[in-house]
Amino acid sequence: MKIVMLGAPGAGKGTQAKMIAQKYGIPHISTGDIFRANIKDGTKLGMEAKQYMDQGLLVPDELTVRILLDRVSNEDCKDGYVLDGFPRTIPQAEVLDEALVKLGDKIDFAINVDVPDENIIKRMSGRRACPGCGATYHTEHIPPKTEGICDVCGAALVLRDDDRPETVKNRLEVYYAQTQPLIAFYTEKGVMRTVDGTVPMEDVFAAITKILA
Ligand code: AMP
């Protein structure tokens, strides 16, 4: 099963993507995580991506697409995957589509986690991430057991550079201009499904599993 997660930054699609991956035993692929791992390791790719990420801008399609196609060609992706944060532009979606068509394959579902604009900024300012293991939290919705400390590895949680308020504004503008058109793209392909992202995360997940069942 090949799934694309859509939704504004802060809609909770990453959390849902991880839950889907666990339940269905398929890899969770986040281009944002791949970029952050490269930044942490100080790679050339990481240094290039960071310039864009820190401003809330998208990393250029050419670079992003190369990384994604390389990742999905791995053996662990042969039975499917859940993409989180990719595609983010129509050209990215087209390249993915073409690559899948060549393999006689396609995206089975695009799931839009729908959250109204007014909730988004509030949500993003509460996001916290673990620099150690990549786990994500929210001060209100998914608090760690001990404030400021990762449940999984015990590292001190941080507000990611790209979740800072000034960057959030840019990310939202980028989302509406470049990513939201993907809803029409996948609607046309007949695979678009929307879930209400304002309800508790277990209920969002229940709605998603109903779609995937
Ligand atoms: P995320 O963790 O998905 O919110 O991604 C964090 C940042 O990484 C984004 O704000 C972009 O700068 C960059 N990024 C992640 N995925 C993509 C993508 N598919 N295309 C372009 N930039 C991306």
Side-chain angles (χ1 to χ4, degrees):
M1 189 154 45
K2 297 185 174 64
I3 303 163
V4 161
M5 299 301 289
L6 296 177
K13 64 183 185 310
T15 305
Q16 296 299 327
K18 284 178 199 157
M19 292 163 84
I20 294 169
Q22 199 178 16
K23 181 171 166 86
Y24 296 93
I26 51 178
H28 163 229
I29 300 176
S30 153
T31 36
D33 282 352
I34 296 173
F35 289 139
R36 281 184 289 277
N38 275 274
I39 291 172
K40 202 172 157 206
D41 293 345
T43 68
K44 191 164 161 265
L45 163 71
M47 272 147 58
E48 195 174 343
K50 189 171 174 14
Q51 296 169 26
Y52 300 95
M53 290 168 76
D54 283 353
Q55 297 176 66
L57 300 174
L58 294 184
V59 176
D61 283 342
E62 203 230 352
L63 190 62
T64 311
V65 158
R66 204 159 15 102
I67 285 157
L68 191 277
L69 291 184
D70 179 58
R71 176 67 187 87
V72 297
S73 67
N74 279 9
E75 180 62 19
D76 67 337
C77 289
K78 71 177 190 336
D79 294 330
Y81 42 76
V82 51
L83 300 183
D84 165 18
F86 185 99
R88 258 189 165 90
T89 66
I90 295 282
Q92 289 181 11
E94 283 170 347
V95 172
L96 174 64
D97 203 46
E98 283 159 25
L100 287 171
V101 166
K102 273 191 203 147
L103 300 168
D105 209 343
K106 63 174 179 50
I107 292 296
D108 299 295
F109 292 105
I111 297 177
N112 180 31
V113 181
D114 187 35
V115 174
D117 299 3
E118 55 270 26
N119 299 19
I120 291 290
I121 298 219
K122 202 172 149 226
R123 284 188 174 210
M124 287 181 81
S125 60
R127 290 218 302 202
R128 296 293 179 273
C130 175
C133 70
T136 49
Y137 300 88
H138 192 281
T139 48
E140 260 177 61
H141 308 294
I142 321 167
K145 292 193 183 87
T146 309
E147 198 187 320
I149 302 293
C150 178
D151 292 347
V152 182
C153 73
L157 301 179
V158 297
L159 179 67
R160 278 175 8 194
D161 282 346
D162 59 350
D163 283 338
R164 282 176 290 136
E166 61 277 22
T167 314
V168 167
K169 197 173 152 276
N170 282 347
R171 293 180 72 195
L172 280 176
E173 275 167 20
V174 166
Y175 169 74
Y176 289 114
Q178 301 199 57
T179 307
Q180 209 184 32
L182 291 173
I183 294 177
F185 179 92
Y186 285 112
T187 300
E188 205 164 295
K189 296 199 175 295
V191 296
M192 190 67 231
R193 306 286 185 276
T194 296
V195 293
D196 178 2
T198 63
V199 297
M201 68 173 185
E202 296 78 15
D203 298 341
V204 179
F205 189 55
I208 292 175
T209 50
K210 222 166 153 187
I211 291 167
L212 301 180

